[in-house]
Amino acid sequence: MPKPTQGGHVDGLILAVLADGPLHGYAVVGELRSRSNGVLSFPEGTIYPALYKLESAGAVASSWSVVDGRRRRLYRLTTRGRRRLDQARVEWDAFSSAMKAVLA
Amino acid sequence: MSERYLAELDLALRRHRVSARRRRRFLAEAEDHFAWDPAAATAFGDPDLLAGEIASAERPRRTRLLTLVLVGSVVAFVVPLYGMPENTLPPAPAEGLPGSVAWKLDWAAAFYGAALVLAAVAFVFSLVRPRLAIVPACVAVSALVVSAALGSAAAIEWPVGGSTAVAVVVPMAAALASLALFVATRLASAAWPRRLR
């Protein structure tokens, strides 16, 4: 069974948040926080290196857009990213099932 | 607060040798982030740690680009080394070519071929195993250095087509210096990445 890593979890979380539509960095942080009811909290800046790595791997694409007169970078999921998200979900299901089986 | 933080972040990105393009982009995104929430600078993270992460995220792309430059440089090297194919491919070698020049040209051509293949291997590695690309890249440059040294010696002993030895050796030395700088920079960043965790 694949072993989920901490980095892998963050990648999967970002991909899941972007699956609903393009977002900029601040909105990704906000979505992570609101969807997890504030449980998932980490230094906000760390979202950007994670996004750059995903972009480098072809899982997300980004472009500048102007919103309310401000330039901001919008990130969106690519087809490869969607596949990676599906894989992350499968891995997480297997991992959490195994944890539940042991802890229960 | 956010201005001071951005200045610290800028310095940290420079210390970690993050490219100017990536540095500008990250700073612009951080600035946009703080426009949404001016207090976010306090929760953005340690600038040095973030800069290390950005440098790490940039490394595979930079390796791909550098190995591609290496392939291009090795291919372009055929210009200063034009005497080699001219003297080794048919109808060469020219009559009267001294044996001391002939073997140098043969080996120079062989090392050049090896450099070309190894540079291509480095590029392929940069796509699948970026950390390993430095190995064939360094061997490619070493092979090219040997090829250039032998080719230079042959050019001095046996100038081709009326060219002077200086006209051959000077661009060769300049190209070699550029390649050496490339490898030194790449080696430094691969061997001593400024990662703090």
Side-chain angles (χ1 to χ4, degrees):
Chain A
M1 185 183 78
K3 197 190 293 177
T5 60
Q6 193 181 351
H9 289 328
V10 175
D11 288 354
L13 292 170
I14 293 172
L15 294 174
V17 162
L18 289 174
D20 292 341
L23 293 172
H24 51 84
Y26 181 77
V28 171
V29 174
E31 273 295 304
L32 284 173
R33 196 176 292 140
S34 73
R35 286 194 195 187
S36 69
N37 293 321
V39 173
L40 293 175
S41 183
F42 39 82
E44 294 182 10
T46 55
I47 207 77
Y48 294 98
L51 281 166
Y52 297 163
K53 280 178 186 165
L54 286 169
E55 190 175 16
S56 186
V60 302
S62 70
S63 57
W64 287 109
S65 66
V66 178
V67 182
D68 298 332
R70 284 199 72 87
R71 275 179 88 226
R72 63 189 32 142
R73 195 88 183 175
L74 275 177
Y75 294 88
R76 63 180 186 284
L77 206 60
T78 62
T79 309
R80 187 182 290 184
R82 211 164 281 282
R83 279 200 301 269
R84 198 161 156 176
L85 174 60
D86 291 341
Q87 189 189 339
R89 282 177 172 146
V90 169
E91 286 176 9
W92 177 254
D93 282 346
F95 181 73
S96 60
S97 299
M99 287 296 287
K100 271 183 200 165
V102 174
L103 292 173
Chain B
M1 172 63 193
S2 61
E3 283 80 11
R4 203 176 66 194
Y5 181 85
L6 285 170
E8 281 177 27
L9 198 54
D10 187 19
L11 275 176
L13 291 166
R14 288 171 195 273
R15 269 201 307 276
H16 283 266
R17 306 186 194 103
V18 172
S19 69
R21 189 164 160 264
R22 177 70 74 185
R23 196 176 71 239
R24 279 197 299 269
R25 176 175 155 184
F26 183 47
L27 289 172
E29 289 191 277
E31 204 177 340
D32 178 49
H33 197 103
F34 301 151
W36 282 89
D37 179 8
T42 54
F44 207 69
D46 177 61
D48 220 38
L49 205 62
L50 280 177
E53 288 293 321
I54 298 287
S56 161
E58 191 181 39
R59 205 159 290 129
R61 188 178 165 276
R62 183 179 277 193
T63 305
R64 269 200 306 274
L65 191 66
L66 286 170
T67 50
L68 199 59
V69 168
L70 179 64
V71 173
S73 304
V74 176
V75 170
F77 226 74
V78 82
V79 176
L81 291 175
Y82 78 98
M84 279 164 27
E86 197 166 334
N87 278 305
T88 50
L89 297 174
E95 277 180 29
L97 186 71
S100 63
V101 175
W103 76 261
K104 286 189 187 85
L105 288 171
D106 288 344
W107 278 104
F111 274 101
Y112 179 79
L116 200 55
V117 171
L118 286 161
V121 169
F123 178 67
V124 173
F125 270 33
S126 76
L127 299 174
V128 288
R129 288 276 184 277
R131 280 177 181 274
L132 293 181
I134 194 70
V135 177
C138 284
V139 183
V141 172
S142 305
L144 197 60
V145 168
V146 174
S147 172
L150 290 168
S152 300
I156 291 165
E157 278 183 62
W158 193 259
V160 183
S163 65
T164 64
V166 171
V168 175
V169 172
V170 167
M172 200 178 289
L176 266 180
S178 309
L179 272 173
L181 190 65
F182 155 77
V183 172
T185 313
R186 189 68 202 98
L187 269 174
S189 103
W192 302 289
R194 288 170 178 262
R195 296 187 71 182
L196 301 178
R197 67 174 187 184

